[in-house]
Structure formats: C-alpha cells, structure tokens
C-alpha cells in the first residue's frame, strides 16, 4: 500500500468520526480536500474505504466519539410534537453556515458591488465545479451552476428540502375559530387557506437547474421567464405592501421567553434555544400541548400563542435553516402583536425565494431553504406539460394556487429525466405567457397594486440584503410582446439607504430605456439562443446504457409531432363535416340530399418522414 492510499484511509477515518462522510462519497471530494491529484479511479477509492474503514479496529477513544449522546426528557414534550412531514429531510452538520450568493443591484453606478465567486467556498456540502462548460455572453460561471450536472444526466445535488408546510396546516386546521380569525387578519391569512400539495421534488429540481441569478429568471430554450411579484401575490395571497423589514438585532432569551409566554428556565431545560435561535420542534411542542381547539380571545395566553404560531409559520415555511431553527429576532416585530401587520412580509418572502433559488442553483449548498412548493404552483400556471390533470372549476378562487388539484401520490409525479426533457424541448406553444390576463378585476381588488411592479426594476429587501426583479427582461409576461433587453446591471446584495434605493423598494424605477423595440418571436429567439444556454440535455443517441434504444424512439416521437398535429386537424375537420352531413340527413324526406353530393374528405398531404434510426435527429422549431 503506497503513501497516498494511506493518506486517503486516514483522512476518511477522520471524516467518519466527524459523522460527515457516508460510504460511497465521490473520491473527488476526498482528494480535493487532501490537496492530492486525481489519478486514481473511483472504484479504487470506494474499495479502499469499504475494506479498510470496516475492517480496521478503532481505538477506545475513537469509539467514545462515535457514541450518540442520550437526549434528556422534558415533561413529555416529545409526545406533543406534530407528525413529521414527509417533505422534511433531517438536517446535517455539514451545512451549518452556508454561503449566500451575491445578488443583483439595479444601481446604475454599481458601487459597492461584490461577487460570490470571490468568496471562499469550503466543505463537502458544496457542489463541485464541472470543467469544460463554456460561458455565454450573458451567463457566467456555468461550470459552477447545477445545470452542468444535467448535461451528463447526473443526479440532482439537491438533497435537503427544508419546508414543513404540513405541520403548519395541521395546527391551523385544529385551531379555534378565534385563533383562525386572528391568523386570517394577518398578512399570512390567505396563505393558510391554500390546500397543501405533495411537492414534486423532481420537477422542482429540474426548474432549479434552469434558474440563473445573473438575471433572476428561468432560462428555457424558447424564452426567458421570471417569477414576477404579481405571480407571487396571486399564488400565495401574501400582499407586497408595508414597511420594509430591516436587519434585525438579536434579542435575549429572557425577552423572547416573555413574548412567547414561557419562562426562561423552561426554554433552557427543553433545549429550545441556541445562539439566539428557537428550535422549531420546541415551538411545535408548545402548540401541541396547548388546547388550540378551544383557546379563546379572552384567554391570557391568546396573544402569546398567536406569536408562537406566527413564529412557527415563518420558520417552517419561509425562513428556514439547515438545523431546523428560526431566528428569535422575528419576535421583536410582534411587540405589540398588531405591529406584525405593518411590515412587508410579502416582499421579504418573495426575496427569500429569489435568494434561495440563486443559492441552490449556484451550488452554494445542497438544501432548498426557501418555500420551494411555490415553484410547482408557478409551473402549473405557466408551463402546460406540468399542469395537473384535475382542475377545480372556480374562476374566482384566491389564491389562484388553490384551484389546482395537484398530484396526490408519487405515481403522478415526474421522473427527473422526464422533467428535464420536457423543459429541454419546451416551445412557445406550451407556455402561457399571461396566465392572469382575464383576471383584471381580481388583481385590482385583491393584489393592492402588485401589477405596478410589472415592467419596472424593483428591489425587495430580505433582512438587510436586496433581491431584484428585472422587469425589462420579461416584458412579454406583461403585454405579450417580445423585446431585446440590455445586459443586466452589476450585482450586489448591499442594502443602501439613499433616495434611489428607497424609490426602488417602494414602486420601482422605469425601464423603458433598458429594452428595445417590439420584435417578432423568431427574431427574439435568434438573439436569445446566442446569449442563453438553450437545450442542455445530451442527445438520446449518445447516452450510455439502456436509454440509447428507448431514446431513439423518443427522438422519433418528437420528429413525428408535426404529422400528429396534421392528423389531429384532419380529425377535427372530419368531425365537423360529419356533424354537418348528419344535420342535412336528419330525415329521409329531404330530396336535396343525395349520395352524389357528399364528396370524399380530402386530407392534406403528409410530410415525408423517415423512420431510419440512423438518420440525424430533426430539430423541433415549433417556436419559430
């Protein structure tokens, strides 16, 4: 055994002791962390790990480190905890301090700009860079983007899903009328009425691979689409109105305990406090122990329970951490409780979704720490291939996401490769650019001016940092007309307090000078293909394994789609002709009808399509 093999074995033992390395870890991570070259094959490293790590005995001191400490019991609080959500993934110790990626600054000067590429990224939780992926004039650092893994049909690096929406709705459904009424009057009231969906994580992972923080938009082969502020309000019901939430200072455990209606000793004994953060499971145990179904407005603990409930919602759905804690400083925004309604929670949550998308798409971590079910809600409205088969026929429902009957089992969900393939072959015929165009009255009545953000460049504050909606890039989502925008500005997360940024946070700034004249979609597409990534999946015929034969069949299916469209049109014409003739031949007493007057239906000529599997695959240019 040579020296480098011994170093690998020693280093892997240390990782196992720290409980951060499972078996079968990619050998690139081990060698990069050891600053070794990578001449060894993967099976060499895996073989060494499985043989030596399982056969070599550990010292007694090492065994002591591997013993799991016992958990102290605390008054039966564990039994009162809600049922664990299947969307929840237990936290790991790998990602305690994730690195947030830099965001956009719409300031024309670009002063104070910073880039996430200049920051140090360490740890085995980050996605390794893929070499040899060229940049485009618009999108930079594509080797660090998770779309690079999609090019080789690798598994998605997203492994943690930090949203426990189910527990929130479970408590809300058993709450008393008085408590539900109090929650309904808060900015989060409409959100709590949305029926929970079982998230299709494969679809969400495929959408994350199409998100680019350079522009804060999705880049599909046919066009660029954004999550607009109007989309957020219409789908969640959370208004973007109120005072911007500033950076929040830490509060003491004594003050936090007083606001939650418990004693500091109880918080400390139950291990519910850590570094100015409150454990979500401890908050859930409080809600589980209280008789939520009978609590009344006159109860002395009503206001404290309302604060605990709101803090539980914020930490479970919107502002998650990898260790299942929520920042206790949110409690300062609930003192007094009516103060909670004066802040712009919609803008903060919207910004957190943009920040979470940019973080996970850039490989800044392996967990989705934002309200990721929103991506599925958004796809239901915009992307035809991902709409549920069942739809509630209610045109007045609000939020709009409550009208969809989402898949109720994993059988109805998408395979990752299938979702990737659908997005890779997306055309304008399968995209709804303006899903809310017929709901102008609802927008004016319920969205409180969220439409004013369309066609503008707007800054949204996210606890001291800024996320930006660049409206000039997606004007086609506003009026259906395509324009070619100027390159995006330099990006920075710094929240300036000058008049320019203040105007951007309230109503946005005009962007008429940042986009060109109206052009056809063909012209827009020719420009877009030169600056974006386009299709990123490898052709079926070049994929290894069993997908090669099936892939060729799928390619032929997409080649046959023009013929299928002609056949469908012919079938409709035949149906109409049959209905007309049946109307004329309703009785035998009509002397004007004879068999000679019924001409045979002439179908249009079919295109000559080859079924030779060795022929080159034709490109689908339906969007032209």
């Amino acid at each position: 055994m040579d020296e480098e093999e011994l170093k690998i074995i020693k280093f892997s033992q240390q990782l196992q002791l720290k409980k951060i390395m499972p078996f079968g870890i990619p050998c690139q991570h081990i060698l990069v962390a050891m600053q070794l070259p990578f001449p060894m094959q993967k099976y060499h490293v895996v073989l060494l790990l499985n043989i030596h790590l399982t056969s070599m005995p550990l010292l007694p001191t090492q065994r002591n480190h591997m013993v799991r400490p016992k958990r102290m019991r605390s008054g039966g609080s564990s039994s009162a905890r809600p049922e664990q959500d299947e969307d929840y993934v237990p936290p790991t110790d790998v990602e305690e301090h994730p690195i947030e990626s830099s965001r956009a600054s719409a300031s024309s000067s670009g002063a104070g700009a910073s880039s996430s590429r200049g920051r140090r990224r360490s740890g085995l939780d980050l996605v390794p860079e893929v070499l040899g992926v060229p940049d485009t004039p618009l999108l930079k650092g594509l080797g660090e983007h998770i779309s690079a893994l999609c090019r080789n049909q690798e598994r998605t690096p997203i492994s943690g899903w930090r949203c426990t929406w189910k527990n929130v709705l479970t408590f809300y459904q058993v709450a008393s009328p008085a408590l539900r009424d109090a929650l309904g009057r808060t900015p989060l009231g409409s959100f709590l009425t949305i029926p929970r969906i079982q998230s299709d994580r494969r679809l969400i992972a495929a959408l994350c691979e199409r998100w680019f923080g350079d522009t804060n938009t999705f880049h599909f082969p046919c066009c660029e689409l954004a999550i607009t502020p109007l989309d957020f309000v219409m789908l969640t019901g959370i208004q973007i109105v109120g005072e911007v939430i500033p950076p929040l200072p830490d509060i003491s455990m004594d003050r936090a305990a007083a606001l939650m209606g418990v004693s500091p000793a109880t918080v400390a004994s139950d291990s519910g406090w850590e570094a100015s953060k409150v454990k979500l499971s401890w908050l859930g145990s409080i809600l589980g122990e209280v008789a939520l179904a009978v609590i009344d407005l006159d109860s002395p603990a009503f206001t404290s329970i309302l604060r605990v409930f709101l803090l539980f919602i914020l930490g479970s759905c919107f502002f998650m951490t990898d260790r299942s804690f929520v920042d206790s400083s949110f409690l300062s925004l609930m003192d007094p409780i009516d103060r909670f309604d004066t802040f712009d929670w919609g803008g903060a949550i919207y910004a957190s979704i943009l920040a979470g998308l940019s973080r996970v798409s850039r490989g800044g971590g392996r967990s989705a720490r934002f309200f990721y079910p929103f991506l599925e809600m958004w796809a239901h409205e915009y992307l035809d291939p991902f709409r549920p088969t069942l739809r509630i026929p209610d045109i007045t429902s609000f939020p709009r996401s409550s009208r969809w009957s989402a898949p109720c089992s994993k059988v109805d969900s998408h395979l990752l490769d299938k979702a990737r393939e659908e997005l890779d072959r997306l055309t304008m015929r399968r995209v709804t650019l303006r899903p809310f165009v017929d709901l102008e009255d609802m927008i004016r009545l319920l969205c409180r001016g969220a439409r004013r953000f369309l066609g503008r460049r707007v800054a949204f504050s996210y606890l001291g940092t800024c996320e930006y909606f660049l409206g000039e890039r997606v004007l086609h989502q506003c009026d259906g007309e395509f324009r070619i925008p100027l390159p995006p500005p330099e990006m920075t997360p710094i929240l300036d307090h000058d008049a320019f940024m203040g105007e951007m946070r309230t109503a946005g700034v005009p962007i008429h000078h940042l986009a060109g004249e109206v052009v056809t979609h063909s012209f827009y597409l020719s420009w877009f293909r030169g600056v974006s990534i386009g299709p990123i999946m490898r052709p079926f015929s070049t994929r290894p394994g069993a997908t090669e034969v099936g892939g060729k069949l799928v390619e032929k299916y997409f080649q046959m789609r023009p013929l299928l469209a002609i056949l469908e049109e012919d079938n409709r014409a035949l149906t109409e002709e049959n209905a007309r003739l049946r109307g004329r031949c309703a009785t035998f007493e009509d002397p004007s009808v004879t068999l000679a007057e019924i001409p045979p239906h002439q179908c249009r000529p079919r295109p000559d399509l080859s079924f030779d599997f060795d022929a080159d695959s034709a490109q689908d240019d339906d969007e032209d």
Side-chain angles (χ1 to χ4, degrees), residues 511-548:
I511 44 85
H512 58 273
H513 60 288
L514 300 175
E517 299 295 329
V518 176
V519 297
T520 63
H521 179 255
S522 298
F523 188 86
Y524 170 86
L525 190 60
S526 62
W527 164 81
F528 188 63
R529 285 174 172 171
V531 299
S532 186
I533 57 173
I536 55 180
M537 297 280 285
R538 289 167 54 186
F540 281 105
S541 57
T542 62
R543 299 181 194 177
T547 59
E548 183 174 356

Side-chain angles (χ1 to χ4, degrees), residues 134-159:
D135 294 343
T136 72
L138 180 62
L139 307 176
K140 307 299 181 182
L142 292 182
E144 301 175 357
H145 195 271
I146 62 173
S147 62
L149 302 178
C150 176
R151 298 174 184 269
N152 297 324
Q153 280 68 61
E154 297 184 26
R155 295 179 59 184
T156 176
I158 306 175
S159 57

Side-chain angles (χ1 to χ4, degrees), residues 179 182-183 258-261 295-311 331 334-338:
L179 183 57
L183 291 169
L259 291 174
M260 293 186 291
I295 190 170
D296 190 72
L297 186 62
D298 298 331
S299 173
F302 184 86
T303 302
S304 300
I305 293 300
L306 182 58
R307 289 194 185 101
V308 172
F309 208 131
L310 291 173
L311 187 63
L331 289 171
M334 309 176 197
D335 185 21
I337 190 63
D338 294 339

Side-chain angles (χ1 to χ4, degrees), residues 266-287:
T266 302
V267 179
S269 62
D270 291 348
S271 301
W273 183 272
E274 181 179 316
S276 299
K277 294 180 174 60
V278 184
K279 186 181 296 185
L280 288 176
S281 60
W282 181 77
L283 293 175
S285 67
I286 292 180
L287 296 176

Side-chain angles (χ1 to χ4, degrees), residues 186-188 229 232-233 236-246 248 314 318-319 330 333 338-352 447-450 452-453 458-467 502 504-508:
T186 67
L188 308 180
F232 174 81
V233 177
T236 65
I238 305 175
Q239 306 295 335
I240 301 179
V241 61
E243 181 184 349
V244 175
I245 299 178
L248 301 176
L314 296 178
F318 304 125
F319 305 107
F330 286 121
L333 305 180
D338 294 339
R339 191 178 177 218
F340 183 85
D341 302 344
T342 63
F343 291 99
D344 182 14
W345 292 103
I349 296 171
Y350 173 75
S352 72
C447 295
R448 299 185 187 179
R452 73 182 187 274
F453 296 128
V458 192
F460 295 93
S461 177
Y462 170 48
L463 301 179
T465 61
C466 272
E467 296 294 330
M504 284 198 66
R505 288 195 301 272
T506 54

Side-chain angles (χ1 to χ4, degrees), residues 216-233:
N216 266 357
T217 54
F218 293 106
H219 283 245
F220 300 118
C222 58
C223 67
E224 188 175 355
L225 295 178
I227 298 175
T228 68
L230 180 61
D231 296 338
F232 174 81
V233 177

